[in-house]
Structures are given as structure tokens and as C-alpha cells.
Amino acid sequence: MSATAMTTSADTPETKVSRFQILRLISRNWLALAAVIFLLLVVACAVFGPWLMGDLIDKPNFRARNMAPFSLSQGWTYVLGADTLGRSLLARLVVGAQNTIGIAFFAVFCSVVIGGMLGLIAGYSRGAAGTMIMRGADIVMSFPSLLLALIVLFSLGPSVTNLILVLAITRVPIYLRTTRAEVLEVRERMFVSAAVALGANHTRILFRHIAPIVLPTLVTIGAIDFATVVLAESSLSFLGLGIQAPEFTWGAMVATGRGYLSTAWWIAFWPGLAILLTTLSLNILSSWWRTYADPQQRWRIELARSKKGIPEKRK
């Protein structure tokens, strides 16, 4: 057997172990497992919700106006109650997940891309370009993010595009400064000096050698920041500067039900609970992943695993 074949056969079990290690560890942490299951449910609602319940979100049923929850007199779709026009709250929750999660996803994605690119330039450049980028980030960070969003949306007008844009701009400095700090350390390593000595241009060094090392950190921060963006979008929708009718998000549903808290509390309660559980699940999963990704903190997960009587494989 050749050395290549021996290496391949020897690496196969380790590859399988690393592939399923995260799933096994999550399955033994009931809190992280519950967070994953709930987030998968939210994603499923965002993907398949409009197809399953799209006809019910705008269909009024005046016989079910402000109908209390946990009643099946109007069908199972009214199990969570109805709003002031008799529309199913369950259907609106399921369909509203698409706008809520979609806006947060694109806002985080844009901020990661823009902040990551600017951070690579600011960290690698030793000239005035890096200084100008950092001063621009300081200007953005000097404004409270919610106040800046209110000013921009009031000036440009509320729309999905403007909402994603303003949420992305307010989060860009976080990724910019993180990327710059990573690049300042990575650019001094030996493999970067070797690439420069071999004649590699700056673009190749940035995107071929430095960016792959910085990307996992940005993905981790993006997962943590996702919950913050969901809350920010819900706050803006609650204030009437988010997505506009006939489209809606969970935050807009809370704003609709705030005038009926004393008579029909369920109109605002269910979307508020969805926002709470989504952000809580994101924070729990992000905290678990941060512990797992840090070699100095991973022993906490391994210790919890060993306490349950699962023997650890020693090297």
C-alpha cells in the first residue's frame, strides 16, 4: 500500500469524528439542543411559511375578531387567537418570520462583507488609507445606532432596502475593527513574509493567505450579532420606521397589538415571545459555539460531557 493510500485510510476515521463531533456535543447539551431545534423551526417557517399559510395572513374573519387563543372553533389555524381584523395570529407569525429573519440575515451579511473588506485594507495598509477608514468607523460609532437608524430612515423613508442598509451601516464598525485587529497580528507571521519574498502581490496575500484566517472569527461574531440585528429591526418596526404594510414583521405585529394590551393581550404577546425566543436561542447557541471554538475554553464542554459518564478519548 502506498503512503498516500495509508494516509487517506488513516485520516478517514478522524475526518468522520470531526464531522459529527459538533452534533454529538450539542445533542448532549439540552439547552444548546433546544436552541438549535427552535432556530431550525424558525428557518423552516421563513422558507415554507408563505407557501403554507400565505392565503390566511390577509384574510379577514370578522366572526373571529380579537378571538382569544387556545380555541379551535374557527379551525386549528386560530389556535393562537386572532387580531382586530380576525386574521390568524399563527399564520401571521409563521409568514412574518420570513421578513424578520430575512432582513436580519441580509443586514448581517452586508455588514460582514463591507466591514471585512474595509478591515482587511485598514489592517494591511500602512499608509493614510487605513487611518481614513478607521476615522470613518469612529464617526459611525460616535452616534447611537438606534438614533442613527431613526435619522436615516426618517430622511430616506421606510423601506426594506433602506432598513437593511441602515442596519448594515450601524454594524459595520464592529466587523471592521475586529478584522483590522486580526490582520495586524496575521500580517507579521512568517508565511506572509514568505509570500512577500516569493513575489506575491498584495491582493493575493490579502485574499489568499490572510482572509481565510480572519473569516471564522467574523462568522462567529456574525452569529452573535444576528440577535442584536433582530432586536434592532423589531424596535424600528415597532416605531413605524421599519417595513411598511401590507408587509409585516414580528416587530410590526407587536406595534399593532400595543393598543389592545388590556383587552386582547395575545395580539402583541405571541410576536413578542417569538422575538424573545429567537434572540435567546441565538445567544445560547453563539455562547456555546464561542466556548467550543476557543481551545482554552473547550474543556468546559468536555468536562460536562465526562460528568455524564461518557469517557473521553485521550490522545
Side-chain angles (χ1 to χ4, degrees), residues 56-279:
L56 297 175
I57 58 174
D58 294 322
K59 183 179 180 181
N61 183 359
F62 295 106
R63 292 183 179 180
R65 290 185 59 220
N66 293 339
M67 188 179 73
F70 311 119
S71 175
L72 300 178
S73 60
Q74 298 292 328
W76 66 271
T77 56
Y78 288 86
V79 67
L80 297 183
D83 62 5
T84 55
L85 296 178
R87 297 172 296 189
S88 170
L89 287 178
L90 176 62
R92 293 179 68 82
L93 275 178
V94 172
V95 177
Q98 185 180 68
N99 288 328
T100 302
I101 301 301
I103 291 173
F105 172 79
F106 284 109
V108 171
F109 178 78
C110 292
S111 58
V112 168
V113 173
I114 297 173
M117 294 288 292
L118 293 177
L120 286 173
I121 298 173
Y124 189 77
S125 174
R126 290 177 169 85
T131 303
M132 293 177 60
I133 292 174
M134 294 307 300
R135 297 295 77 78
D138 293 338
I139 292 174
V140 174
M141 294 187 68
S142 64
F143 290 92
S145 58
L146 186 59
L147 177 61
L148 179 62
L150 288 173
I151 295 174
V152 173
L153 289 175
F154 184 78
S155 302
L156 300 179
S159 67
V160 176
T161 303
N162 293 339
L163 184 59
I164 294 175
L165 179 64
V166 72
L167 289 174
I169 291 176
T170 56
R171 312 310 296 175
V172 160
I174 298 175
Y175 303 96
L176 194 159
R177 297 172 74 91
T178 302
T179 304
R180 177 179 178 271
E182 291 274 342
V183 173
L184 287 175
E185 188 271 331
V186 173
R187 74 178 186 184
E188 304 299 332
R189 295 185 183 180
M190 291 298 297
F191 69 88
V192 176
S193 301
V196 173
L198 291 174
N201 56 40
H202 298 307
T203 303
R204 180 178 177 83
I205 292 173
L206 273 177
F207 295 100
R208 179 71 176 177
H209 300 287
I210 297 179
I213 298 177
V214 179
L215 184 59
T217 302
L218 295 182
V219 172
T220 303
I221 296 177
I224 299 172
D225 197 42
F226 196 94
T228 305
V229 176
V230 170
L231 288 176
E233 184 278 325
S234 300
S235 301
L236 292 172
S237 296
F238 180 81
L239 295 175
L241 293 175
I243 194 170
Q244 299 297 302
E247 299 294 331
F248 60 94
T249 62
W250 290 341
M253 293 177 64
V254 175
T256 302
R258 64 180 173 178
Y260 302 90
L261 290 176
S262 59
T263 57
W265 54 267
W266 49 88
I267 299 178
F269 174 78
W270 295 119
L273 182 63
I275 295 171
L276 170 64
L277 293 179
T278 302
T279 54

